[in-house]
Each structure stands twice: as C-alpha cells, then as structure tokens.
Amino acid sequence: MIPYGRQSISEADIAAVVEVLRSDFLTQGPVVPRFEQAVADYCAAQFGVAVNSGTAALHIACLALGVGPGDWVWTSPISFVASANCALYCGAQVDFVDVEPDTGNLSVAALERKLAAAQDEGTLPKVVIPVHFAGLPCDMQAIHALSQQYGFRIIEDACHALGARYHDAPTGNCRYSDITVFSFHPVKIITTGEGGMAMTNDPQLAKTMRLLRSHGITRNADDFINAPDGPWYYEQQMLGFNYRMTDIQAALGLSQMANLEAWILKRGELARRYFEALAPERLTRYFSPERRSAFHLYVHHVAPEQRAQLFSQLRDLGIGANVHYLPIYKQPWYQRWAPGPLPHAEQFYAGAITLPLFPGLTPQQQAQIYDVLSPTL
Ligand SMILES: *Cc1c(COP(=O)(O)O)cnc(C)c1O
C-alpha cells in the first residue's frame, strides 16, 4: 500500500536516538532545549515549548491565553478534531467559521461577518484558531487586523505547516499571532513519533506553557511564591499536566530538522506535478510569491457522486487515498453544538480526496494515480 503520508527515517536519525538511549537522560533532558532552539531558530521565533503532542500544545496554548468557562473559541471546521477539542478541555465553547471554497483555509470574509454578528450578540471569541490547511498559510495579516479591531487572541494551528512561508517569512514566527503550534506525528512534516511544539515571542506565555507542561511545577528559586524551606524545595503554582517530550523524541526531531528544507522542496515538486496533471487551474493559488505551502497534504477535488467509487478504486490498487476532513461539527460529539451547515465547508468536504504525498513518493507511483483519476477530468 502506498500510504497518504509517511515518515522518512535515516541512519543518522537512528544513531541520534541510540545515542540518547546510551546517555543518562531518557525523559526531558538536555536534548529537548536543543530541539526547541533549532525549531525556534528555523521559524525566527523567540521561544519553542516542546510537548508530547500537537494536541497538548494546543491545550496549553489555550490555557496560557486564559481560555476558560464562559469563553468562546472559534476555529475552522475543515481540520482535525484536536483544533476544536483544545477549547473544550478548558471548559470553553467552540464555534466554527466557514472556509475558503478553494483552499479549505479559514475565510477572512466569513470571519468578518461572524465577528460583526457576535459583537451585536455579545458572544465575541476570546481566541481564534486559524488552521493552515494542508500546509498553506491562512491570510494572517487580515486575521491579525480583525483581532486588533475585535480584541481576540490568535493561535495558529500550523500542525500541517512546519516549513511554510508567508510574505517571505517562516510560519511559526508569530508575527501575526500569539502562539503557533506544530505537530510531529509521523504523517506530518517532521516526526518525533508523537510530539508537538508551541512557538511564541512572549516570554510570559512561554513561561506559563513551560509550567503547564510539567504539573505547574517550578524549581526556579527566582519564581517561588513562598519561602523555600530547604534546597530540595519546589513549588506547584498552577494545575498543569505531564505533557513533557522525552529526549528520545527530541533527538529524533533534532536530527529530522536537518532534512526539513529539502523535504519541503521535494513535497513542493511532487505537488506541482499533481497540479499540472490534475488541476492546472489551481497552480497559481498554491505557488505564489506571497505564500509557500509546506504541502503536508495534496487534496484533489472530484464530483461528489464519483468520490466513493474513485476512493475504492485507488484503495484496490494499493493507493492509500484518504479524506481530510469531515467538518468537525458533523462529528457526533459536536452535534450538540451544531452550527447551521457552513456551505463552503460542506462543499469542500463533499468532493475532497487526499492523494499520497510524502518525500519518498516516486513519479512512477504518481503516474499510477493519474491513470485512475485522468478519465474523470
Ligand atoms: C495532527 C494535527 C493535530 C494534532 O496533532 P497531534 O500531534 O496528533 O496531537 C492538530 N491539528 C491539526 C490540524 C493536525 O493535523
């Protein structure tokens, strides 16, 4: 089976992990801060806080921004459920903003309309979480301008978008957001097995997220609230979690960073071939000087009534097609909050079919995929 996405693991990656296994630290030790620094340097962000999943990063990002009961968090319905679950973990309420019909990214026009209505009703969001779907950055300048006007905070869900660029600067630099979150799940751009990271330029947010990832405990004497009663003293100052990344994971991530730029270029090349063969009219949207997609996914659109049959045809040939995503508000868990159907999200989902895309995919494998889809063009 050609999967829709898969990790690339080199001998250097394996050696880096083995080195940690032979060292004194298995859980969070000296490699975690090195990995955090490597990602922060790549993204031109001040701080990176490594945790054990992208979901954990979204959770502590919401908490650090003060999300709690009575607050609203808005996100995109065309995303993995974790983009919305993080708000529910904090006791907040979730609502969804419709997407752009062509990219599946949060629509600025829809956001603007929804904010104006929410202002009248007194239900403005505390946080908006735009998702860089498939790796293409959202229109962050416009979303940031709306945040200034309406007073909400921004978490970029960049779980698809490590390596993306927006206006010639790396996604993750938080120029237009408070916090940006990455995932290192094996199908994502680089992997640590499981893992995630929250980027920020705000020292206070970084400090709070570091506390939250490790039980709310600090051992830093400068930060103590009470007087220490001995050199063993530490303090729990808030209700945190065990969301720590291990040095084993960080070593893999740090080693993977060496390939990041090459992988993004390779993904871009493979995606360009797909567009040229299957959807040339969409090329300019995805290859512009303004934005570089990280091309986590290649989502093709077919006539909705043909999708199930094409999906099965691909699967029967050992081609691991997939679908990203059923709008989150259609999940049974979310139906209790169900907003009215969002027309562009529904339309985007109806014909979407994800084709395999990862650095190890070959042109021969791509050609096999065109053979199935070309007759439908
Ligand atoms: C993968 C993903 C997450 C969650 O990341 P994990 O590391 O699997 O917890 C969140 N949001 C989006 C958009 C994702 O694709």
PDB file of all heavy atoms in Angstrom, residues 52-58 78-84 129 131-134 157-160 181-188 193-197 296-297 324-325, ligand 1:
ATOM      1  N   ASN A  52       4.402  16.619  24.321  1.00  0.00           N
ATOM      2  CA  ASN A  52       4.325  15.259  23.786  1.00  0.00           C
ATOM      3  C   ASN A  52       3.293  15.061  22.666  1.00  0.00           C
ATOM      4  O   ASN A  52       3.114  13.945  22.199  1.00  0.00           O
ATOM      5  CB  ASN A  52       4.132  14.255  24.930  1.00  0.00           C
ATOM      6  CG  ASN A  52       2.906  14.572  25.766  1.00  0.00           C
ATOM      7  OD1 ASN A  52       2.068  15.375  25.364  1.00  0.00           O
ATOM      8  ND2 ASN A  52       2.797  13.949  26.916  1.00  0.00           N
ATOM      9  N   SER A  53       2.612  16.121  22.236  1.00  0.00           N
ATOM     10  CA  SER A  53       1.778  16.039  21.027  1.00  0.00           C
ATOM     11  C   SER A  53       1.376  17.443  20.584  1.00  0.00           C
ATOM     12  O   SER A  53       1.454  18.395  21.375  1.00  0.00           O
ATOM     13  CB  SER A  53       0.503  15.211  21.279  1.00  0.00           C
ATOM     14  OG  SER A  53      -0.394  15.903  22.120  1.00  0.00           O
ATOM     15  N   GLY A  54       0.918  17.539  19.365  1.00  0.00           N
ATOM     16  CA  GLY A  54       0.358  18.803  18.880  1.00  0.00           C
ATOM     17  C   GLY A  54      -0.896  19.158  19.660  1.00  0.00           C
ATOM     18  O   GLY A  54      -1.164  20.340  19.925  1.00  0.00           O
ATOM     19  N   THR A  55      -1.653  18.141  20.036  1.00  0.00           N
ATOM     20  CA  THR A  55      -2.877  18.351  20.810  1.00  0.00           C
ATOM     21  C   THR A  55      -2.543  18.985  22.164  1.00  0.00           C
ATOM     22  O   THR A  55      -3.213  19.932  22.599  1.00  0.00           O
ATOM     23  CB  THR A  55      -3.587  17.000  21.022  1.00  0.00           C
ATOM     24  OG1 THR A  55      -3.839  16.431  19.733  1.00  0.00           O
ATOM     25  CG2 THR A  55      -4.883  17.156  21.775  1.00  0.00           C
ATOM     26  N   ALA A  56      -1.499  18.471  22.835  1.00  0.00           N
ATOM     27  CA  ALA A  56      -1.074  19.035  24.118  1.00  0.00           C
ATOM     28  C   ALA A  56      -0.631  20.488  23.929  1.00  0.00           C
ATOM     29  O   ALA A  56      -0.920  21.349  24.770  1.00  0.00           O
ATOM     30  CB  ALA A  56       0.059  18.205  24.716  1.00  0.00           C
ATOM     31  N   ALA A  57       0.047  20.772  22.820  1.00  0.00           N
ATOM     32  CA  ALA A  57       0.492  22.144  22.552  1.00  0.00           C
ATOM     33  C   ALA A  57      -0.712  23.077  22.395  1.00  0.00           C
ATOM     34  O   ALA A  57      -0.723  24.197  22.924  1.00  0.00           O
ATOM     35  CB  ALA A  57       1.368  22.180  21.296  1.00  0.00           C
ATOM     36  N   LEU A  58      -1.754  22.614  21.687  1.00  0.00           N
ATOM     37  CA  LEU A  58      -2.969  23.424  21.534  1.00  0.00           C
ATOM     38  C   LEU A  58      -3.631  23.653  22.896  1.00  0.00           C
ATOM     39  O   LEU A  58      -4.117  24.752  23.187  1.00  0.00           O
ATOM     40  CB  LEU A  58      -3.958  22.735  20.587  1.00  0.00           C
ATOM     41  CG  LEU A  58      -3.625  22.797  19.099  1.00  0.00           C
ATOM     42  CD1 LEU A  58      -4.473  21.791  18.305  1.00  0.00           C
ATOM     43  CD2 LEU A  58      -3.857  24.209  18.554  1.00  0.00           C
ATOM     44  N   ILE A  78     -12.832  22.553   8.807  1.00  0.00           N
ATOM     45  CA  ILE A  78     -12.063  21.647   7.947  1.00  0.00           C
ATOM     46  C   ILE A  78     -10.698  21.466   8.607  1.00  0.00           C
ATOM     47  O   ILE A  78      -9.691  22.060   8.226  1.00  0.00           O
ATOM     48  CB  ILE A  78     -11.942  22.195   6.506  1.00  0.00           C
ATOM     49  CG1 ILE A  78     -13.327  22.331   5.865  1.00  0.00           C
ATOM     50  CG2 ILE A  78     -11.062  21.297   5.628  1.00  0.00           C
ATOM     51  CD1 ILE A  78     -14.072  21.020   5.599  1.00  0.00           C
ATOM     52  N   SER A  79     -10.690  20.640   9.658  1.00  0.00           N
ATOM     53  CA  SER A  79      -9.457  20.385  10.396  1.00  0.00           C
ATOM     54  C   SER A  79      -9.610  19.093  11.167  1.00  0.00           C
ATOM     55  O   SER A  79     -10.703  18.518  11.248  1.00  0.00           O
ATOM     56  CB  SER A  79      -9.172  21.533  11.366  1.00  0.00           C
ATOM     57  OG  SER A  79      -7.896  21.347  11.976  1.00  0.00           O
ATOM     58  N   PHE A  80      -8.500  18.679  11.761  1.00  0.00           N
ATOM     59  CA  PHE A  80      -8.539  17.554  12.677  1.00  0.00           C
ATOM     60  C   PHE A  80      -9.254  18.012  13.957  1.00  0.00           C
ATOM     61  O   PHE A  80      -9.144  19.180  14.346  1.00  0.00           O
ATOM     62  CB  PHE A  80      -7.110  17.088  12.975  1.00  0.00           C
ATOM     63  CG  PHE A  80      -7.047  15.860  13.824  1.00  0.00           C
ATOM     64  CD1 PHE A  80      -7.713  14.702  13.445  1.00  0.00           C
ATOM     65  CD2 PHE A  80      -6.338  15.863  15.015  1.00  0.00           C
ATOM     66  CE1 PHE A  80      -7.661  13.569  14.241  1.00  0.00           C
ATOM     67  CE2 PHE A  80      -6.284  14.729  15.807  1.00  0.00           C
ATOM     68  CZ  PHE A  80      -6.954  13.582  15.419  1.00  0.00           C
ATOM     69  N   VAL A  81      -9.951  17.088  14.600  1.00  0.00           N
ATOM     70  CA  VAL A  81     -10.798  17.451  15.752  1.00  0.00           C
ATOM     71  C   VAL A  81     -10.025  18.144  16.881  1.00  0.00           C
ATOM     72  O   VAL A  81     -10.610  18.909  17.659  1.00  0.00           O
ATOM     73  CB  VAL A  81     -11.539  16.216  16.319  1.00  0.00           C
ATOM     74  CG1 VAL A  81     -12.602  15.726  15.334  1.00  0.00           C
ATOM     75  CG2 VAL A  81     -10.567  15.089  16.670  1.00  0.00           C
ATOM     76  N   ALA A  82      -8.712  17.903  16.970  1.00  0.00           N
ATOM     77  CA  ALA A  82      -7.926  18.499  18.054  1.00  0.00           C
ATOM     78  C   ALA A  82      -7.978  20.026  18.029  1.00  0.00           C
ATOM     79  O   ALA A  82      -7.861  20.661  19.085  1.00  0.00           O
ATOM     80  CB  ALA A  82      -6.471  18.032  17.967  1.00  0.00           C
ATOM     81  N   SER A  83      -8.155  20.627  16.844  1.00  0.00           N
ATOM     82  CA  SER A  83      -8.220  22.097  16.742  1.00  0.00           C
ATOM     83  C   SER A  83      -9.379  22.662  17.555  1.00  0.00           C
ATOM     84  O   SER A  83      -9.325  23.807  18.002  1.00  0.00           O
ATOM     85  CB  SER A  83      -8.420  22.535  15.282  1.00  0.00           C
ATOM     86  OG  SER A  83      -7.454  21.985  14.451  1.00  0.00           O
ATOM     87  N   ALA A  84     -10.437  21.877  17.725  1.00  0.00           N
ATOM     88  CA  ALA A  84     -11.610  22.312  18.499  1.00  0.00           C
ATOM     89  C   ALA A  84     -11.597  21.722  19.906  1.00  0.00           C
ATOM     90  O   ALA A  84     -11.977  22.388  20.873  1.00  0.00           O
ATOM     91  CB  ALA A  84     -12.890  21.890  17.772  1.00  0.00           C
ATOM     92  N   ILE A 129      -8.580  30.229  16.230  1.00  0.00           N
ATOM     93  CA  ILE A 129      -7.514  29.287  15.844  1.00  0.00           C
ATOM     94  C   ILE A 129      -7.606  29.016  14.343  1.00  0.00           C
ATOM     95  O   ILE A 129      -8.321  28.115  13.908  1.00  0.00           O
ATOM     96  CB  ILE A 129      -7.630  27.963  16.636  1.00  0.00           C
ATOM     97  CG1 ILE A 129      -7.707  28.231  18.148  1.00  0.00           C
ATOM     98  CG2 ILE A 129      -6.451  27.031  16.286  1.00  0.00           C
ATOM     99  CD1 ILE A 129      -7.797  26.974  19.011  1.00  0.00           C
ATOM    100  N   VAL A 131      -6.380  27.447  10.919  1.00  0.00           N
ATOM    101  CA  VAL A 131      -5.641  26.208  10.612  1.00  0.00           C
ATOM    102  C   VAL A 131      -5.038  26.363   9.219  1.00  0.00           C
ATOM    103  O   VAL A 131      -5.765  26.640   8.262  1.00  0.00           O
ATOM    104  CB  VAL A 131      -6.594  24.996  10.642  1.00  0.00           C
ATOM    105  CG1 VAL A 131      -5.848  23.714  10.308  1.00  0.00           C
ATOM    106  CG2 VAL A 131      -7.295  24.889  11.991  1.00  0.00           C
ATOM    107  N   HIS A 132      -3.743  26.184   9.100  1.00  0.00           N
ATOM    108  CA  HIS A 132      -3.096  26.282   7.783  1.00  0.00           C
ATOM    109  C   HIS A 132      -3.297  24.939   7.084  1.00  0.00           C
ATOM    110  O   HIS A 132      -2.418  24.071   7.102  1.00  0.00           O
ATOM    111  CB  HIS A 132      -1.619  26.627   7.939  1.00  0.00           C
ATOM    112  CG  HIS A 132      -1.377  27.881   8.727  1.00  0.00           C
ATOM    113  ND1 HIS A 132      -2.093  29.041   8.521  1.00  0.00           N
ATOM    114  CD2 HIS A 132      -0.497  28.169   9.725  1.00  0.00           C
ATOM    115  CE1 HIS A 132      -1.657  29.980   9.358  1.00  0.00           C
ATOM    116  NE2 HIS A 132      -0.698  29.467  10.094  1.00  0.00           N
ATOM    117  N   PHE A 133      -4.471  24.811   6.474  1.00  0.00           N
ATOM    118  CA  PHE A 133      -4.884  23.514   5.953  1.00  0.00           C
ATOM    119  C   PHE A 133      -3.948  23.014   4.862  1.00  0.00           C
ATOM    120  O   PHE A 133      -3.631  23.753   3.920  1.00  0.00           O
ATOM    121  CB  PHE A 133      -6.326  23.595   5.424  1.00  0.00           C
ATOM    122  CG  PHE A 133      -6.803  22.299   4.838  1.00  0.00           C
ATOM    123  CD1 PHE A 133      -7.186  21.262   5.668  1.00  0.00           C
ATOM    124  CD2 PHE A 133      -6.834  22.104   3.464  1.00  0.00           C
ATOM    125  CE1 PHE A 133      -7.607  20.049   5.139  1.00  0.00           C
ATOM    126  CE2 PHE A 133      -7.247  20.899   2.931  1.00  0.00           C
ATOM    127  CZ  PHE A 133      -7.626  19.874   3.768  1.00  0.00           C
ATOM    128  N   ALA A 134      -3.533  21.768   5.017  1.00  0.00           N
ATOM    129  CA  ALA A 134      -2.656  21.079   4.060  1.00  0.00           C
ATOM    130  C   ALA A 134      -1.268  21.723   3.979  1.00  0.00           C
ATOM    131  O   ALA A 134      -0.425  21.279   3.212  1.00  0.00           O
ATOM    132  CB  ALA A 134      -3.300  20.990   2.675  1.00  0.00           C
ATOM    133  N   ASP A 157      -2.913  27.102  14.240  1.00  0.00           N
ATOM    134  CA  ASP A 157      -2.722  25.651  14.207  1.00  0.00           C
ATOM    135  C   ASP A 157      -1.926  25.351  12.941  1.00  0.00           C
ATOM    136  O   ASP A 157      -2.476  25.253  11.837  1.00  0.00           O
ATOM    137  CB  ASP A 157      -4.061  24.914  14.212  1.00  0.00           C
ATOM    138  CG  ASP A 157      -3.877  23.397  14.243  1.00  0.00           C
ATOM    139  OD1 ASP A 157      -2.779  22.925  13.878  1.00  0.00           O
ATOM    140  OD2 ASP A 157      -4.836  22.687  14.601  1.00  0.00           O
ATOM    141  N   ALA A 158      -0.599  25.243  13.125  1.00  0.00           N
ATOM    142  CA  ALA A 158       0.317  25.008  11.998  1.00  0.00           C
ATOM    143  C   ALA A 158       0.792  23.561  12.014  1.00  0.00           C
ATOM    144  O   ALA A 158       1.915  23.272  11.571  1.00  0.00           O
ATOM    145  CB  ALA A 158       1.478  25.987  12.069  1.00  0.00           C
ATOM    146  N   CYS A 159      -0.067  22.658  12.498  1.00  0.00           N
ATOM    147  CA  CYS A 159       0.318  21.244  12.567  1.00  0.00           C
ATOM    148  C   CYS A 159       0.638  20.682  11.186  1.00  0.00           C
ATOM    149  O   CYS A 159       1.377  19.719  11.051  1.00  0.00           O
ATOM    150  CB  CYS A 159      -0.771  20.438  13.258  1.00  0.00           C
ATOM    151  SG  CYS A 159      -0.804  20.746  15.038  1.00  0.00           S
ATOM    152  N   HIS A 160       0.069  21.304  10.120  1.00  0.00           N
ATOM    153  CA  HIS A 160       0.371  20.875   8.750  1.00  0.00           C
ATOM    154  C   HIS A 160       1.509  21.694   8.140  1.00  0.00           C
ATOM    155  O   HIS A 160       1.883  21.426   6.999  1.00  0.00           O
ATOM    156  CB  HIS A 160      -0.846  21.096   7.835  1.00  0.00           C
ATOM    157  CG  HIS A 160      -2.039  20.278   8.193  1.00  0.00           C
ATOM    158  ND1 HIS A 160      -3.219  20.333   7.465  1.00  0.00           N
ATOM    159  CD2 HIS A 160      -2.265  19.379   9.170  1.00  0.00           C
ATOM    160  CE1 HIS A 160      -4.110  19.521   7.986  1.00  0.00           C
ATOM    161  NE2 HIS A 160      -3.559  18.936   9.036  1.00  0.00           N
ATOM    162  N   VAL A 181       1.368  26.555  16.754  1.00  0.00           N
ATOM    163  CA  VAL A 181       1.516  25.177  17.219  1.00  0.00           C
ATOM    164  C   VAL A 181       1.896  24.241  16.069  1.00  0.00           C
ATOM    165  O   VAL A 181       1.301  24.312  14.985  1.00  0.00           O
ATOM    166  CB  VAL A 181       0.189  24.729  17.877  1.00  0.00           C
ATOM    167  CG1 VAL A 181       0.145  23.237  18.066  1.00  0.00           C
ATOM    168  CG2 VAL A 181       0.000  25.448  19.209  1.00  0.00           C
ATOM    169  N   PHE A 182       2.876  23.374  16.327  1.00  0.00           N
ATOM    170  CA  PHE A 182       3.272  22.338  15.360  1.00  0.00           C
ATOM    171  C   PHE A 182       3.019  20.949  15.937  1.00  0.00           C
ATOM    172  O   PHE A 182       3.033  20.772  17.155  1.00  0.00           O
ATOM    173  CB  PHE A 182       4.775  22.438  15.043  1.00  0.00           C
ATOM    174  CG  PHE A 182       5.180  23.703  14.345  1.00  0.00           C
ATOM    175  CD1 PHE A 182       6.142  24.534  14.901  1.00  0.00           C
ATOM    176  CD2 PHE A 182       4.611  24.063  13.131  1.00  0.00           C
ATOM    177  CE1 PHE A 182       6.542  25.704  14.257  1.00  0.00           C
ATOM    178  CE2 PHE A 182       4.996  25.229  12.481  1.00  0.00           C
ATOM    179  CZ  PHE A 182       5.967  26.049  13.055  1.00  0.00           C
ATOM    180  N   SER A 183       2.847  19.967  15.048  1.00  0.00           N
ATOM    181  CA  SER A 183       2.751  18.553  15.440  1.00  0.00           C
ATOM    182  C   SER A 183       3.885  17.783  14.773  1.00  0.00           C
ATOM    183  O   SER A 183       4.257  18.086  13.638  1.00  0.00           O
ATOM    184  CB  SER A 183       1.415  17.959  14.972  1.00  0.00           C
ATOM    185  OG  SER A 183       1.465  16.546  15.002  1.00  0.00           O
ATOM    186  N   PHE A 184       4.382  16.785  15.489  1.00  0.00           N
ATOM    187  CA  PHE A 184       5.440  15.923  14.936  1.00  0.00           C
ATOM    188  C   PHE A 184       4.979  14.470  14.867  1.00  0.00           C
ATOM    189  O   PHE A 184       5.763  13.544  15.069  1.00  0.00           O
ATOM    190  CB  PHE A 184       6.728  16.061  15.766  1.00  0.00           C
ATOM    191  CG  PHE A 184       7.157  17.486  15.992  1.00  0.00           C
ATOM    192  CD1 PHE A 184       7.344  17.980  17.279  1.00  0.00           C
ATOM    193  CD2 PHE A 184       7.369  18.350  14.920  1.00  0.00           C
ATOM    194  CE1 PHE A 184       7.738  19.297  17.495  1.00  0.00           C
ATOM    195  CE2 PHE A 184       7.754  19.680  15.125  1.00  0.00           C
ATOM    196  CZ  PHE A 184       7.942  20.144  16.425  1.00  0.00           C
ATOM    197  N   HIS A 185       3.678  14.290  14.631  1.00  0.00           N
ATOM    198  CA  HIS A 185       3.133  12.954  14.362  1.00  0.00           C
ATOM    199  C   HIS A 185       3.772  12.425  13.071  1.00  0.00           C
ATOM    200  O   HIS A 185       4.119  13.220  12.180  1.00  0.00           O
ATOM    201  CB  HIS A 185       1.605  13.086  14.230  1.00  0.00           C
ATOM    202  CG  HIS A 185       0.908  11.799  13.953  1.00  0.00           C
ATOM    203  ND1 HIS A 185       0.845  11.248  12.695  1.00  0.00           N
ATOM    204  CD2 HIS A 185       0.263  10.945  14.770  1.00  0.00           C
ATOM    205  CE1 HIS A 185       0.182  10.099  12.758  1.00  0.00           C
ATOM    206  NE2 HIS A 185      -0.184   9.900  14.002  1.00  0.00           N
ATOM    207  N   PRO A 186       3.943  11.108  12.927  1.00  0.00           N
ATOM    208  CA  PRO A 186       4.675  10.581  11.761  1.00  0.00           C
ATOM    209  C   PRO A 186       4.160  10.995  10.375  1.00  0.00           C
ATOM    210  O   PRO A 186       4.944  11.029   9.428  1.00  0.00           O
ATOM    211  CB  PRO A 186       4.568   9.062  11.937  1.00  0.00           C
ATOM    212  CG  PRO A 186       4.421   8.881  13.419  1.00  0.00           C
ATOM    213  CD  PRO A 186       3.642  10.060  13.915  1.00  0.00           C
ATOM    214  N   VAL A 187       2.884  11.326  10.228  1.00  0.00           N
ATOM    215  CA  VAL A 187       2.444  11.766   8.890  1.00  0.00           C
ATOM    216  C   VAL A 187       2.768  13.230   8.635  1.00  0.00           C
ATOM    217  O   VAL A 187       2.642  13.693   7.507  1.00  0.00           O
ATOM    218  CB  VAL A 187       0.926  11.542   8.626  1.00  0.00           C
ATOM    219  CG1 VAL A 187       0.567  10.082   8.708  1.00  0.00           C
ATOM    220  CG2 VAL A 187       0.068  12.385   9.555  1.00  0.00           C
ATOM    221  N   LYS A 188       3.180  13.968   9.656  1.00  0.00           N
ATOM    222  CA  LYS A 188       3.411  15.407   9.488  1.00  0.00           C
ATOM    223  C   LYS A 188       4.792  15.646   8.851  1.00  0.00           C
ATOM    224  O   LYS A 188       5.456  14.716   8.434  1.00  0.00           O
ATOM    225  CB  LYS A 188       3.260  16.128  10.828  1.00  0.00           C
ATOM    226  CG  LYS A 188       1.912  15.854  11.528  1.00  0.00           C
ATOM    227  CD  LYS A 188       0.721  16.498  10.838  1.00  0.00           C
ATOM    228  CE  LYS A 188      -0.618  15.958  11.293  1.00  0.00           C
ATOM    229  NZ  LYS A 188      -1.051  16.365  12.628  1.00  0.00           N
ATOM    230  N   GLY A 193       7.828  10.721  16.501  1.00  0.00           N
ATOM    231  CA  GLY A 193       6.953   9.631  16.931  1.00  0.00           C
ATOM    232  C   GLY A 193       5.615  10.236  17.323  1.00  0.00           C
ATOM    233  O   GLY A 193       4.676  10.259  16.541  1.00  0.00           O
ATOM    234  N   GLU A 194       5.510  10.737  18.538  1.00  0.00           N
ATOM    235  CA  GLU A 194       4.463  11.672  18.947  1.00  0.00           C
ATOM    236  C   GLU A 194       5.199  12.910  19.420  1.00  0.00           C
ATOM    237  O   GLU A 194       6.299  12.806  19.981  1.00  0.00           O
ATOM    238  CB  GLU A 194       3.619  11.124  20.103  1.00  0.00           C
ATOM    239  CG  GLU A 194       2.796   9.889  19.810  1.00  0.00           C
ATOM    240  CD  GLU A 194       1.481  10.177  19.086  1.00  0.00           C
ATOM    241  OE1 GLU A 194       1.195  11.348  18.771  1.00  0.00           O
ATOM    242  OE2 GLU A 194       0.759   9.195  18.833  1.00  0.00           O
ATOM    243  N   GLY A 195       4.597  14.064  19.252  1.00  0.00           N
ATOM    244  CA  GLY A 195       5.247  15.270  19.754  1.00  0.00           C
ATOM    245  C   GLY A 195       4.631  16.516  19.166  1.00  0.00           C
ATOM    246  O   GLY A 195       3.898  16.456  18.167  1.00  0.00           O
ATOM    247  N   GLY A 196       4.915  17.632  19.797  1.00  0.00           N
ATOM    248  CA  GLY A 196       4.423  18.917  19.307  1.00  0.00           C
ATOM    249  C   GLY A 196       5.238  20.040  19.906  1.00  0.00           C
ATOM    250  O   GLY A 196       6.075  19.806  20.788  1.00  0.00           O
ATOM    251  N   MET A 197       5.006  21.253  19.414  1.00  0.00           N
ATOM    252  CA  MET A 197       5.712  22.410  19.962  1.00  0.00           C
ATOM    253  C   MET A 197       4.852  23.652  19.809  1.00  0.00           C
ATOM    254  O   MET A 197       4.172  23.817  18.795  1.00  0.00           O
ATOM    255  CB  MET A 197       7.066  22.610  19.265  1.00  0.00           C
ATOM    256  CG  MET A 197       8.041  23.428  20.109  1.00  0.00           C
ATOM    257  SD  MET A 197       9.655  23.674  19.348  1.00  0.00           S
ATOM    258  CE  MET A 197      10.385  22.065  19.453  1.00  0.00           C
ATOM    259  N   HIS A 296       1.766  19.485   3.310  1.00  0.00           N
ATOM    260  CA  HIS A 296       1.523  18.296   4.142  1.00  0.00           C
ATOM    261  C   HIS A 296       0.607  17.337   3.397  1.00  0.00           C
ATOM    262  O   HIS A 296       0.804  16.125   3.435  1.00  0.00           O
ATOM    263  CB  HIS A 296       0.909  18.723   5.479  1.00  0.00           C
ATOM    264  CG  HIS A 296       0.275  17.620   6.245  1.00  0.00           C
ATOM    265  ND1 HIS A 296       0.958  16.461   6.558  1.00  0.00           N
ATOM    266  CD2 HIS A 296      -0.971  17.478   6.746  1.00  0.00           C
ATOM    267  CE1 HIS A 296       0.142  15.660   7.235  1.00  0.00           C
ATOM    268  NE2 HIS A 296      -1.024  16.244   7.350  1.00  0.00           N
ATOM    269  N   LEU A 297      -0.411  17.892   2.734  1.00  0.00           N
ATOM    270  CA  LEU A 297      -1.395  17.054   2.029  1.00  0.00           C
ATOM    271  C   LEU A 297      -1.580  17.574   0.609  1.00  0.00           C
ATOM    272  O   LEU A 297      -1.458  18.770   0.362  1.00  0.00           O
ATOM    273  CB  LEU A 297      -2.775  17.154   2.706  1.00  0.00           C
ATOM    274  CG  LEU A 297      -2.897  16.734   4.167  1.00  0.00           C
ATOM    275  CD1 LEU A 297      -4.302  17.075   4.677  1.00  0.00           C
ATOM    276  CD2 LEU A 297      -2.633  15.234   4.326  1.00  0.00           C
ATOM    277  N   HIS A 324      -9.734  14.399   3.977  1.00  0.00           N
ATOM    278  CA  HIS A 324      -9.495  15.419   5.005  1.00  0.00           C
ATOM    279  C   HIS A 324     -10.400  16.598   4.730  1.00  0.00           C
ATOM    280  O   HIS A 324     -10.219  17.246   3.713  1.00  0.00           O
ATOM    281  CB  HIS A 324      -8.046  15.878   4.995  1.00  0.00           C
ATOM    282  CG  HIS A 324      -7.079  14.810   5.382  1.00  0.00           C
ATOM    283  ND1 HIS A 324      -6.524  13.946   4.461  1.00  0.00           N
ATOM    284  CD2 HIS A 324      -6.584  14.439   6.580  1.00  0.00           C
ATOM    285  CE1 HIS A 324      -5.714  13.099   5.090  1.00  0.00           C
ATOM    286  NE2 HIS A 324      -5.739  13.379   6.363  1.00  0.00           N
ATOM    287  N   TYR A 325     -11.329  16.945   5.528  1.00  0.00           N
ATOM    288  CA  TYR A 325     -11.827  16.300   6.729  1.00  0.00           C
ATOM    289  C   TYR A 325     -13.349  16.387   6.688  1.00  0.00           C
ATOM    290  O   TYR A 325     -13.880  17.389   6.176  1.00  0.00           O
ATOM    291  CB  TYR A 325     -11.399  17.066   7.984  1.00  0.00           C
ATOM    292  CG  TYR A 325      -9.917  17.041   8.301  1.00  0.00           C
ATOM    293  CD1 TYR A 325      -9.095  18.084   7.894  1.00  0.00           C
ATOM    294  CD2 TYR A 325      -9.351  15.991   9.042  1.00  0.00           C
ATOM    295  CE1 TYR A 325      -7.739  18.078   8.215  1.00  0.00           C
ATOM    296  CE2 TYR A 325      -8.000  15.998   9.371  1.00  0.00           C
ATOM    297  CZ  TYR A 325      -7.203  17.037   8.954  1.00  0.00           C
ATOM    298  OH  TYR A 325      -5.871  17.043   9.278  1.00  0.00           O
TER     299      TYR A 325
HETATM  300  C1  LIG B   1      -2.171  16.376  13.600  1.00  0.00           C
HETATM  301  C2  LIG B   1      -2.973  17.568  13.915  1.00  0.00           C
HETATM  302  C3  LIG B   1      -3.208  17.985  15.225  1.00  0.00           C
HETATM  303  C4  LIG B   1      -2.819  17.195  16.417  1.00  0.00           C
HETATM  304  O1  LIG B   1      -1.504  16.827  16.468  1.00  0.00           O
HETATM  305  P1  LIG B   1      -1.053  15.526  17.297  1.00  0.00           P
HETATM  306  O2  LIG B   1       0.425  15.677  17.357  1.00  0.00           O
HETATM  307  O3  LIG B   1      -1.502  14.325  16.523  1.00  0.00           O
HETATM  308  O4  LIG B   1      -1.695  15.603  18.643  1.00  0.00           O
HETATM  309  C5  LIG B   1      -3.883  19.188  15.421  1.00  0.00           C
HETATM  310  N1  LIG B   1      -4.342  19.922  14.383  1.00  0.00           N
HETATM  311  C6  LIG B   1      -4.156  19.527  13.115  1.00  0.00           C
HETATM  312  C7  LIG B   1      -4.655  20.393  12.015  1.00  0.00           C
HETATM  313  C8  LIG B   1      -3.496  18.325  12.846  1.00  0.00           C
HETATM  314  O5  LIG B   1      -3.363  17.931  11.573  1.00  0.00           O
END
